[in-house]
Amino acid sequence: MPYGPPGRPTPPPRKGGGRFVSLLLVVIIAVVSILVRYAVRNGIDIGSVAVGPKPSTTYSPEPGTAPAKTGDNPLLLDANGSLVPASCDYSPWGTQVDKARAFFESAATCLDAAWKPLLTDNDLPFESPKLSVTATTAGITTPCTGSTSNFAAFYCAANKTIYMPISQLQTDMFKDNWVVYLSVFAHEYGHHIQAQSGILRKANSERVDVGARSDKGLELSRRVELQANCFDGMFIASSKGGNSLTASQVTLATKDAYGRGDGPGDMRDHGTSEHGGQWFEAGLDRNLTAQCNTFIASASDVS
């Protein structure tokens, strides 16, 4: 028996129309399902992309020889997997595109030098990420966001590119405290390491299986994001160890890590600000990839 909306009379059945409508609905549902699965597999965030203090990340399958593993990934099983102290020659920060690009390029060089030996030691592939630094997000088209201009700093694994739009870095708040921008960049670089090692590919596959926006799918997203926080902390520790950052700068980066995360009304895909800060400090204090294994952490530690 057909049912209409509450409070409204049920319309009489249409001859032959019901079968057509039912078939059309089946086709639409099938197409939507395919599109959702394609989007998650190819690094497209279904829905809005975060803008503001919470960094945005998209996921994509990463081809290569790296094993598709998360908690049992070789990178995370390495008990001695630390980043050696890095003496980094950071280019002076400036909000002009050329100066900002030079700054992030110098940071990328230092991050490459810090992470490449660790991946190589674990027989994992390494390739430097590409970098996009622009004044704003206007006119930027990416494989992960399409033509939308509503995105913050993020990593797109589909083209191995870190996007750093200056307008989205809250430079009005942080002024010339460039360690904050360095930390955001190191977080996004952490996603590149996840892609290179096969972590993203496995996490993404699992998200597709359980539903990217399901409770389990969002938990997997949080595990990915919080691990990137931890990798960020590892690099900040490495840079401090190489006398490239001062103690006060590290303190500021830590404070900033506790100021980001899922806010009221946000989709719970990044983790609370408290957990974001805690995982950052785990990387900062211990500088070991094994201590950044969010995939074996309890659900309560990645909420």
Side-chain angles (χ1 to χ4, degrees):
M1 176 180 179
Y3 294 91
R8 297 179 62 182
T10 302
R14 297 179 180 177
K15 294 181 180 180
R19 293 181 182 177
F20 175 77
V21 171
S22 297
L23 178 60
L24 182 60
L25 287 174
V26 169
V27 172
I28 290 174
I29 291 171
V31 171
V32 170
S33 177
I34 292 171
L35 288 175
V36 168
R37 295 175 72 88
Y38 171 84
V40 174
R41 289 189 186 279
N42 290 277
I44 302 170
D45 186 11
I46 308 298
S48 61
V49 180
V51 173
K54 187 174 73 171
S56 174
T57 306
T58 54
Y59 310 109
S60 169
E62 179 63 26
T65 59
K69 296 181 177 181
T70 50
D72 58 345
N73 192 281
L75 184 65
L76 304 179
L77 296 180
D78 185 354
N80 299 310
S82 63
L83 301 182
V84 298
S87 180
C88 302
D89 185 18
Y90 295 117
S91 182
W93 166 258
T95 55
Q96 302 88 354
V97 172
D98 288 346
K99 293 201 73 171
R101 181 180 293 113
F103 171 78
F104 288 123
E105 285 176 347
S106 68
T109 297
C110 199
L111 280 153
D112 285 353
W115 280 104
K116 182 178 180 178
L118 192 51
L119 269 69
T120 301
D121 287 348
N122 285 284
D123 297 321
L124 294 168
F126 178 84
E127 179 182 351
S128 300
K130 300 179 183 67
L131 177 60
S132 172
V133 180
T134 54
T136 69
T137 60
I140 302 299
T141 300
T142 84
C144 296
T145 62
S147 59
T148 179
S149 61
N150 184 30
F151 62 84
F154 80 103
Y155 173 72
C156 179
N159 61 357
K160 303 176 186 147
T161 300
I162 298 175
Y163 291 86
M164 300 297 294
I166 301 169
S167 62
Q168 308 299 74
L169 295 179
Q170 297 178 292
T171 57
D172 56 334
M173 178 186 299
F174 297 113
K175 307 297 182 183
D176 290 330
N177 291 306
W178 52 265
V179 69
V180 174
Y181 317 131
L182 175 66
S183 184
V184 170
F185 187 65
H187 171 101
E188 302 306 335
Y189 193 101
H191 289 308
H192 179 66
I193 295 302
Q194 291 171 324
Q196 292 284 286
S197 62
I199 292 172
L200 272 186
R201 183 152 45 105
K202 178 62 173 178
N204 205 44
S205 176
E206 291 180 353
R207 288 187 72 204
V208 169
D209 291 341
V210 300
R213 299 304 176 91
S214 67
D215 288 345
K216 184 63 176 177
L218 291 175
E219 181 183 304
L220 283 165
S221 177
R222 294 194 297 273
R223 291 182 188 276
V224 168
E225 292 296 338
L226 293 170
Q227 183 173 80
N229 276 28
C230 194
F231 286 171
D232 173 13
M234 285 180 62
F235 178 73
I236 295 299
S238 167
S239 198
K240 179 178 183 293
N243 296 317
S244 301
L245 293 175
T246 66
S248 61
Q249 285 178 311
V250 173
T251 297
L252 179 57
T254 304
K255 181 180 179 181
D256 178 65
Y258 276 95
R260 299 175 186 268
D262 297 330
D266 283 348
M267 182 170 55
R268 296 184 60 248
D269 58 350
H270 278 65
T272 65
S273 57
E274 184 71 14
H275 283 153
Q278 289 173 353
W279 281 103
F280 174 88
E281 284 198 291
L284 179 69
D285 294 342
R286 300 166 188 173
N287 190 13
L288 289 168
T289 53
Q291 296 297 323
C292 293
N293 198 344
T294 56
F295 292 95
I296 62 172
S298 67
S300 61
D301 288 332
V302 294
S303 62

